[in-house]
Amino acid sequence: MTRSQRLDPLLRVTQQRQDSVAKQLAERDKALTEQQQRLDLLQQYADTYTPAPAGSTLAPAMLANHLAFRAKLDVALQQQSRAVDTSRQACDVERARLMLASRDNKVLEQLAAAYRSEETRVAGQREQRELDDLGGRRARAAREEGES
């Protein structure tokens, strides 16, 4: 088994790891998109839920309910914003993992290519030596035949 062939199983493993990390990154990206969409919808809802107009009169109980709901809405916005930040960080981590896995795979591919190139060069030299030896034997045989 040649050196390049011995790297093939390792190359398959690194490619599988790279594919796995890429899949995880895609899942994290999807989760981030969903979290961002939730935040955007919540922000739109909060923007439409404005305080009561200045000239209107609200019963104290209704005003208290309005303010309490707005406070809960603000808390929900903060929580969702934190969820988006967490998802973004998870995406960044997966992206870094993918870059590392890709780099590892590329290094092994380059090493295997170098090994294959060296093996091809050595095989070519061996073949040339064999052809030279064969040519030399034929020349000797022809000389010996001519001397007899």
Side-chain angles (χ1 to χ4, degrees), residues 10 34 51 89 96 106 109 118 140:
L10 190 55
E34 290 172 359
Q89 289 171 356
K106 186 175 181 178
E109 285 175 348
E118 177 67 15
R140 275 192 299 271

Side-chain angles (χ1 to χ4, degrees), residues 16-121:
Q16 288 171 348
R17 183 174 40 212
Q18 182 180 355
D19 293 346
S20 172
V21 172
K23 183 178 177 183
Q24 289 173 351
L25 175 60
E27 290 171 2
R28 298 282 193 260
D29 268 341
K30 182 180 176 187
L32 173 61
T33 301
E34 290 172 359
Q35 293 292 343
Q36 186 63 50
Q37 287 173 345
R38 287 183 192 132
L39 178 61
D40 292 344
L41 286 173
L42 195 55
Q43 185 63 51
Q44 287 174 0
Y45 180 72
D47 290 344
T48 61
Y49 196 81
T50 58
S56 69
T57 57
L58 286 177
M62 290 201 51
L63 182 59
N65 283 343
H66 182 83
L67 293 175
F69 181 73
R70 183 61 201 198
K72 287 181 181 179
L73 197 52
D74 289 341
V75 168
L77 277 167
Q78 290 172 355
Q79 289 175 341
Q80 188 60 36
S81 181
R82 283 192 299 271
V84 167
D85 290 341
T86 301
S87 287
R88 188 170 288 120
Q89 289 171 356
C91 271
D92 292 343
V93 167
E94 289 302 321
R95 195 168 287 111
R97 287 184 61 215
L98 179 59
M99 286 175 48
L100 290 172
S102 177
R103 186 190 68 195
D104 290 347
N105 193 39
K106 186 175 181 178
V107 166
L108 282 176
E109 285 175 348
Q110 289 173 341
L111 182 61
Y115 282 171
R116 284 186 192 97
S117 175
E118 177 67 15
E119 291 162 0
T120 301
R121 186 184 64 76

